Amino acid sequence: MKQFKPILSVVLVTILAFSCQDQLQEEEVAPLAASSESMLQTKTRHGKYMLYKAEYITSGEGKEVGNVVYFNHRGNKQLSDDFVEDYSEDGTSDITYYVDNNRPSEDLSADVTEAAIDRAMDTWDDATCSDLGMTKVPYDGRTTGFISALFGYGGSYDYVADVVHAGWLPAEFFDMIRPGGSYNILAVTFTLIYVDAEGYPTDMDGNGKADVAWREIYYNDAFTWNDGYTYDVETVALHEAGHGLSQDHFGKAFVTLGNGKLHFAPRAMMNAAYSQVQTEISGTDLAGHCSNWANWAK
């Protein structure tokens, strides 16, 4: 792994973590930088939106698995979240995505990483049970990143696409997600949701889920990235794009005490830690996708 820089201050409000025993732990951390007010913006077609949560995948080398971090602790923190049909910021029911090449990996060219991300998005789009109308917004050099802007890494509070692959950021950014996160967080997907005047998540379609404005994906440049082997961009992009398309982590992780090896039951693309190159979806991953998207745009 590459050399790390000093850890920055933690800025989170609430951390929810699943241990290898599948027990839920909750920890309150006082915000030191980003306030609730700074997380709230109004530059949308549908009113206010706010940073809600982050879902990240870990390397698995330290026997730690990816977790969910909730930023907005008003209302029901356990509320699921999803896009609302015909309510996208672009005014269509198509799921759009954008690849920001302004923050390239130190290890691979932007052309290589963009092609890997495109393959990952195409894999989800090719699921025959859904009709996402997946549309790529061509890279045009614009500045993107609500989260990167929020935490001082440059960006924009403006909507660009439903799923934004916002590029590679340095180790310090991932220490902001969780203390020491730079050492094992490969990538993270942030969810921004619509909120009402009091800051509570909206549910405009009455499905019991918070309404997603868009999602942003960031990759940890402290790791060495590769095309086709560990750490494989397409594999991690496929996992994070799953989060981008409203899938949660799946499966239970456990460690064999004799050899310290991390196992998953069952193994799936949406396991919370990286284990091997995986560029296809099937089984539980496909079932989760289909259950959420089968009736989209129909």
Side-chain angles (χ1 to χ4, degrees):
M1 195 181 299
K2 301 174 185 174
Q3 184 67 37
F4 292 99
K5 297 179 181 179
I7 296 175
L8 296 183
S9 298
V10 179
V11 299
L12 307 183
V13 178
T14 303
I15 294 180
L16 297 182
F18 289 96
S19 70
C20 290
Q21 289 74 37
D22 205 27
Q23 295 175 333
L24 185 65
Q25 299 175 335
E26 182 173 328
E27 179 182 355
E28 297 292 338
V29 181
L32 301 179
S35 66
S36 294
E37 289 75 19
S38 67
M39 292 181 185
L40 187 65
Q41 298 294 322
T42 57
K43 297 180 180 179
T44 70
R45 296 172 64 241
H46 304 299
K48 296 180 180 179
Y49 64 94
M50 186 174 186
L51 171 58
Y52 179 49
K53 72 176 183 179
E55 296 166 284
Y56 60 81
I57 185 173
T58 53
S59 65
E61 292 181 347
K63 307 303 181 288
E64 296 183 9
V65 296
N67 296 323
V68 181
V69 180
Y70 284 85
F71 292 80
N72 181 1
H73 60 111
R74 303 189 64 179
N76 185 356
K77 289 183 292 187
Q78 302 284 357
L79 189 64
S80 298
D81 47 277
D82 202 1
F83 292 101
V84 181
E85 191 172 338
D86 296 323
Y87 210 78
S88 171
E89 285 298 302
D90 64 10
T92 75
S93 61
D94 294 341
I95 298 298
T96 58
Y97 78 96
Y98 183 81
V99 181
D100 189 341
N101 290 325
N102 291 327
R103 303 183 184 95
S105 164
E106 292 183 357
D107 307 307
L108 299 170
S109 70
D111 288 343
V112 170
T113 55
E114 182 174 10
I117 292 169
D118 286 344
R119 293 194 299 271
M121 299 303 291
D122 287 343
T123 297
W124 287 112
D125 190 38
D126 287 342
T128 58
C129 64
S130 61
D131 183 11
L132 304 179
M134 185 77 75
T135 303
K136 181 181 181 181
V137 178
Y139 171 70
D140 56 11
R142 79 181 80 181
T143 300
T144 73
F146 175 100
I147 307 303
S148 57
L150 184 66
F151 293 130
Y153 288 84
S156 169
Y157 293 125
D158 295 336
Y159 168 89
V160 176
D162 298 322
V163 179
V164 178
H165 293 266
W168 275 255
L169 285 178
E172 298 96 329
F173 177 83
F174 296 87
D175 289 323
M176 286 182 162
I177 299 170
R178 186 180 65 79
S182 59
Y183 290 92
N184 53 37
I185 297 176
L186 287 172
V188 58
T189 299
F190 291 90
T191 295
L192 293 98
I193 60 170
Y194 295 110
V195 293
D196 62 22
E198 297 180 350
Y200 290 97
T202 65
D203 181 15
M204 291 171 282
D205 54 0
N207 65 351
K209 300 180 179 181
D211 301 324
V212 172
W214 73 86
R215 293 188 171 105
E216 295 179 352
I217 299 169
Y218 296 85
Y219 301 87
N220 186 353
D221 211 19
F223 287 87
T224 299
W225 292 87
N226 295 292
D227 185 22
Y229 56 98
T230 303
Y231 288 102
D232 175 51
V233 174
E234 183 177 354
T235 298
V236 177
L238 189 59
H239 175 97
E240 295 303 323
H243 289 319
L245 296 172
S246 304
Q247 284 225 60
D248 291 328
H249 288 139
F250 186 85
K252 181 178 180 180
F254 61 95
V255 175
T256 301
L257 296 180
N259 58 17
K261 187 176 181 180
L262 186 64
H263 303 271
F264 299 95
R267 183 174 298 280
M269 170 52 62
M270 296 310 296
N271 288 153
Y274 183 102
S275 58
Q276 62 186 15
V277 173
Q278 299 182 75
T279 59
E280 297 180 358
I281 54 173
S282 60
T284 55
D285 301 306
L286 187 60
H289 174 82
C290 294
S291 67
N292 189 63
W293 293 99
N295 294 320
W296 183 263
K298 292 184 179 179

